[in-house]
Amino acid sequence: MSGDGEWRQELDEQQLEDVRRLLLAVREADGRPEVEPAGPLPGEFDGGEHLVACVEDDVVGYAHLNTTGNSFGHQVAELFVHPAHRNRGYGAKLLQALDERAAVGFRVWAHGDHPGARRLARKSGLERKRELLILHVAVENADWPEPVLRDGVSLRTFVPGQDEDAVVRVNARAFDWHPEQGALTVEDVRADERRPWFDADGFFLAEEDGEVIGFHWTKVHEPAPGRFGGERVGEVYVVGVDPAAQGGGLGRALTLAGLRYLAGRGLRQIILYVEGDNAPALAVYTKLGFTRHETDVQYGR
């Protein structure tokens, strides 16, 4: 495996297109990542450092390292090997390069708990540090009632240019325990507003006495090969409630508002991501009809 062997803070135009082609090939084989044929790469590849691995003129692998780290100070990495070049040791070489570059305590994602990733982690002495479950529900099998709000609370939709600060404030309080979500910034929200999937009509805010006290941000995924029958899929992207406003079923009401909206768009399937050890959230979503579908794993030392 060759190439320039250097970690870069930015990809030039040619490297960007090379990485895009590799990620599209991975998406065709594995269903993820959610990369599009044009435009920016998904947000998880913003910033940080990039390593492009080549054999002669073929791009065989790519690694991205989030050097800022998550809310707990762990740098987080993603690495991919082109499906046509797997089982040749390139993944191990990418992981070795990552191990040499990243700070102690880094984490690396294995989406879908891929068997090849499990083998590579085991050989490299990495342990499962975190499980992120993907839950799924078929809309036709669900019966979601209208949300019921306690007295004094109302629902409205997000207004770009007005509500970013309020959402970030609530998010920071609701997710101070979460490795990624707790670090959301106003700039992050504005960046997502520019992405093709952003839909303000599917972004619900709960207000009390003129203050935002909770939100449900929904998302729609375009069809991905090999996932969910190749259909568009809705997502319960983020549900956040200010801890001071919890109780009275506010989280459930916000969740129902988003679910009913996604179902009204004609989507037949809805997913969500939840931490594997978050028993209260799992109990709520199970009652709403969700079942376990996939698992993403973070490995580390």
Side-chain angles (χ1 to χ4, degrees):
M1 188 170 70
S2 59
D4 59 26
E6 296 180 359
W7 288 88
R8 296 176 174 271
Q9 293 186 340
E10 293 185 9
L11 297 172
D12 62 32
E13 187 173 335
Q14 182 60 56
Q15 290 170 329
L16 176 62
E17 291 312 307
D18 288 342
V19 169
R20 185 193 308 280
R21 282 193 293 271
L22 181 145
L23 294 179
L24 285 169
V26 172
R27 181 174 183 259
E28 183 71 25
D30 302 335
R32 283 186 284 173
E34 293 184 22
V35 61
E36 299 300 327
L41 295 179
E44 58 263 33
F45 304 116
D46 288 346
E49 296 186 346
H50 312 261
L51 181 65
V52 182
C54 303
V55 172
E56 297 180 350
D57 294 329
D58 291 332
V59 176
V60 300
Y62 165 68
H64 176 263
L65 177 62
N66 177 351
T67 52
T68 301
N70 61 25
S71 298
F72 298 150
H74 299 294
Q75 293 185 346
V76 180
E78 308 243 9
L79 65 85
F80 304 90
V81 176
H82 193 291
H85 296 279
R86 290 176 178 172
N87 300 313
R88 302 180 188 179
Y90 299 141
K93 291 182 179 179
L94 277 170
L95 184 57
Q96 180 181 349
L98 179 63
D99 207 357
E100 294 170 353
R101 185 67 172 182
V104 173
F106 77 93
R107 302 285 187 261
V108 58
W109 278 112
H111 297 294
D113 199 10
H114 195 285
R118 288 203 300 270
R119 291 192 297 270
L120 179 58
R122 185 170 58 251
K123 290 179 181 178
S124 302
L126 301 180
E127 302 173 345
R128 295 169 79 97
K129 294 294 186 181
R130 177 185 172 197
E131 290 189 348
L132 186 63
L133 308 183
I134 298 93
L135 306 187
H136 170 272
V137 65
V139 173
E140 64 180 358
N141 296 330
D143 182 17
W144 296 312
E146 291 189 17
V148 177
L149 298 165
R150 65 174 183 257
D151 290 344
V153 177
S154 60
L155 283 185
R156 65 173 176 85
T157 53
F158 180 88
V159 179
Q162 170 186 297
D163 292 323
E164 291 86 353
D165 287 313
V167 166
V168 168
R169 283 196 298 272
V170 171
N171 181 86
R173 292 191 288 268
F175 293 102
D176 59 354
W177 53 273
H178 196 278
E180 292 93 24
Q181 189 62 34
L184 184 76
T185 66
V186 169
E187 290 71 26
D188 293 333
V189 177
R190 289 174 177 158
D192 281 342
E193 289 174 28
R194 296 190 292 270
R195 298 190 186 280
W197 56 262
F198 180 78
D199 175 18
D201 291 336
F203 197 158
F204 298 90
L205 307 184
E207 283 190 326
E208 187 172 35
D209 297 328
E211 295 290 330
V212 175
I213 58 172
F215 65 93
H216 181 183
W217 190 350
T218 69
K219 183 177 182 179
V220 175
H221 300 260
E222 293 304 311
R227 296 192 84 204
F228 309 112
E231 296 182 3
R232 298 170 75 234
V233 178
E235 181 185 347
V236 177
Y237 186 40
V238 189
V239 178
V241 176
D242 192 317
Q246 287 179 350
L250 181 56
R252 175 180 169 84
L254 282 163
T255 303
L256 286 171
L259 290 173
R260 289 168 62 88
Y261 175 78
L262 292 170
R265 291 192 59 181
L267 298 164
R268 302 199 301 172
Q269 304 179 73
I270 299 175
I271 63 170
L272 61 84
Y273 291 76
V274 62
E275 297 296 327
D277 59 359
N278 190 342
L282 285 168
V284 170
Y285 293 130
T286 298
K287 290 180 181 178
L288 290 170
F290 284 87
T291 58
R292 183 166 172 167
H293 183 73
E294 293 179 353
T295 305
D296 287 350
V297 179
Q298 272 191 2
Y299 287 95
R301 299 199 190 285

